[in-house]
Amino acid sequence: MAQRLSPHVTVMANAAQKASKRLLRDFAEVEQLQVSIKGPSDFVSQADLRAEQTLKEELTKARPGYSFLMEESGASGSDNWTWRWVVDPLDGTTNFLHGMPHWAISIALERRLPTGASELAAALIYAPATDEMFWAEKGAGAFVNERRLRVSARREMSEAVFATGIPFGAVSAPRRQAFSRTLSTLMPQVAGIRRFGAAALDLAWVAAGRFDGYWELGIKPWDIAAGMLLVREAGGYATDTGDGDPRDTAAIVAANPHLHPKLRAAVIEGMQPPGPALRPSGGTVLAGP
């Protein structure tokens, strides 16, 4: 694989592999921590922070002028950046906390254009527990380790398996209701819907053809930046629900070209609040979700 990697992707791969060594040691201790009185939450938070610090040190050492957008520490470096790393040091924290091996390090590289907008130039998602390294560069394709990736070729919704993120307790009621409406629309149409708990890996799996599509609302840019480029370079679409950029709008729909329009339409429909329904007497009442 090293022969194919560009200088930027090599930097990303080296940083991810270094951070993964400590994360794997921490992951091995989670099972013991689960039975302690204090519990493992603080431990996992520290694991997350240590991984982010390692990634920042390694990326800065290799590219000292680049800025950062990181899950734990936010934005740093010049506001006038030309290149910026977008980093989630531990995507799938709850899986990690419960001893489930479905978690990853996600690193994307943004390049600012003369217009002021930015494009995704390179991406890497590394799953240490399975030693799968997904990577892509704009215009150069997407890969897992040494194998080229292509999105699935399925055309029928009845054969499709989609992934998503299920809202939890702290999520706003409108977002939970939008998710419920989308789920109600899709479930009768598809072969399955999965919630594996790691957005970066969900997108990497869309790029690999394991999932046919993925959607989520209220998502953070560090969760999806790398995965968006992977999907696009594997021949799929990764958009928001309108004309914006998912990194800005926090809404993403990613799928192969055949199923993307259908999945996107279902998500847009789910986002619409139910309209008023007429009573027989002519009065109105709000229809339920």
Side-chain angles (χ1 to χ4, degrees), residues 20-280:
S20 73
K21 292 177 182 176
R22 180 58 187 262
L23 281 173
L24 283 168
R25 288 197 297 270
D26 290 340
F27 185 62
E29 297 180 35
V30 167
E31 186 176 348
Q32 285 71 40
L33 288 167
Q34 286 187 40
V35 298
S36 70
I37 295 173
K38 184 178 180 182
S41 297
D42 290 341
F43 174 84
V44 173
S45 297
Q46 290 304 309
D48 208 329
L49 289 167
R50 283 193 297 264
E52 183 170 287
Q53 184 60 35
T54 298
L55 291 167
K56 190 169 188 177
E57 289 172 358
E58 292 301 308
L59 294 171
T60 299
K61 189 189 306 178
R63 295 291 187 272
Y66 290 15
S67 292
F68 285 88
L69 178 62
M70 310 188 84
E71 181 186 19
E72 301 299 336
S73 56
S76 61
S78 171
D79 292 335
N80 245 352
W81 54 269
T82 301
W83 296 94
R84 182 170 75 165
W85 303 110
V86 182
V87 179
D88 188 343
L90 178 53
D91 182 60
T93 304
T94 301
N95 290 344
F96 188 99
L97 175 68
H98 287 267
M100 302 175 192
H102 196 74
W103 48 273
I105 296 165
S106 177
I107 309 171
L109 180 60
E110 293 178 323
R111 175 171 47 221
R112 180 167 279 161
L113 303 173
T115 60
S118 70
E119 67 176 7
L120 293 164
L124 184 138
I125 296 170
Y126 182 47
T130 56
D131 196 27
E132 285 192 314
M133 184 171 288
F134 300 86
W135 55 280
E137 236 179 339
K138 184 174 174 59
F143 300 82
V144 57
N145 297 338
E146 295 189 17
R147 182 171 61 84
R148 181 134 192 172
L149 296 179
R150 294 295 301 175
V151 294
S152 74
R154 294 184 186 89
R155 295 172 176 264
E156 302 301 324
M157 291 288 277
S158 60
E159 299 174 351
V161 174
F162 294 136
T164 188
I166 297 175
F168 49 89
V171 169
S172 69
R175 201 173 117 205
R176 289 199 304 272
Q177 291 161 4
F179 172 80
S180 296
R181 290 190 291 268
T182 301
L183 201 62
S184 296
T185 298
L186 287 173
M187 283 181 68
Q189 301 182 47
V190 302
I193 295 174
R194 302 287 184 263
R195 203 285 190 185
F196 283 3
L201 281 175
D202 285 343
L203 287 163
W205 283 24
V206 172
R210 299 173 189 175
F211 289 139
D212 301 294
Y214 162 80
W215 88 95
E216 189 162 358
L217 306 178
I219 196 75
K220 301 296 185 183
W222 44 79
D223 292 319
I224 59 173
M228 285 170 56
L229 185 61
L230 278 163
V231 170
R232 291 168 180 172
E233 288 298 317
Y237 295 159
T239 69
D240 79 342
T241 54
D243 297 322
D245 188 312
R247 292 171 292 165
D248 300 324
T249 63
I252 185 167
V253 181
N256 74 36
H258 309 296
L259 295 175
H260 182 269
K262 299 173 185 178
L263 177 59
R264 189 168 180 261
V267 175
I268 292 170
E269 181 183 342
M271 293 170 67
Q272 306 306 312
L278 288 177
R279 290 184 187 276

